[in-house]
């Protein structure tokens, strides 16, 4: 399985919506903090899943080089993924999420300052 090979080689992974089920089915979410669309659905769709204690009811979660997200959280998912691979700083990720996910007007100024400075 490609996900298992990526994990074993230490490569980062990101899964949103139904893709989190695929990771749960092969045990990749059993020992890391993670989220999905719904815990009960995850348990139902991935019968071998054993990561319930690590499940977080958050839009997106990053732990141990794995980003997971609910299907309704594409902006936090993208921000955490870009941050995980070093493409953006945590500050830019937060400002970007504030602007595009939470529609915070002040986040625009923070983001522009961070991108220009």
């Amino acid at each position: 399985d490609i996900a298992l090979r990526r994990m074993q080689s230490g490569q980062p992974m990101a899964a949103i919506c139904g893709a989190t089920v695929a990771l749960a089915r092969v045990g990749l979410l059993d020992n890391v903090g993670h989220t999905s669309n719904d815990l009960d659905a995850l348990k139902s769709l991935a019968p071998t899943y054993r990561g319930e204690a690590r499940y977080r009811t958050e839009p997106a979660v990053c732990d141990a080089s794995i980003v997971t997200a609910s299907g309704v959280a594409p902006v936090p998912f993208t921000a955490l993924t870009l941050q995980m691979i070093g493409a953006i700083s945590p500050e830019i990720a937060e400002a970007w999420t504030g602007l595009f996910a939470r529609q915070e007007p002040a986040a625009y100024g923070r983001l522009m300052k961070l991108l220009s400075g």
Side-chain angles (χ1 to χ4, degrees):
D1 179 77
I2 192 167
L4 288 172
R5 288 193 308 269
R6 286 186 67 82
M7 181 69 158
Q8 291 167 349
S9 67
Q11 295 177 316
M13 286 186 284
I16 188 170
C17 197
T20 61
V21 175
L23 295 186
R25 285 181 178 163
V26 295
L28 292 179
L29 300 183
D30 289 353
N31 299 305
V32 297
H34 61 279
T35 194
S36 186
N37 293 322
D38 175 74
L39 178 58
D40 289 333
L42 188 61
K43 292 188 317 187
S44 173
L45 295 168
T48 59
Y49 167 71
R50 301 290 176 258
E52 184 174 352
R54 308 282 311 232
Y55 187 88
R56 298 184 200 156
T57 307
E58 297 176 22
V61 172
C62 182
D63 188 21
S65 297
I66 297 177
V67 172
T68 53
S70 164
V72 297
V75 172
F77 172 74
T78 303
L80 280 179
T81 301
L82 291 172
Q83 183 181 336
M84 176 180 63
I85 64 170
I88 61 175
S89 69
E91 296 80 14
I92 290 174
E94 172 52 34
W96 194 64
T97 301
L99 180 61
F100 294 109
R102 297 187 303 268
Q103 293 80 43
E104 297 170 355
Y108 177 79
R110 290 194 315 271
L111 182 59
M112 292 302 105
K113 183 176 179 181
L114 289 164
L115 293 175
S116 67

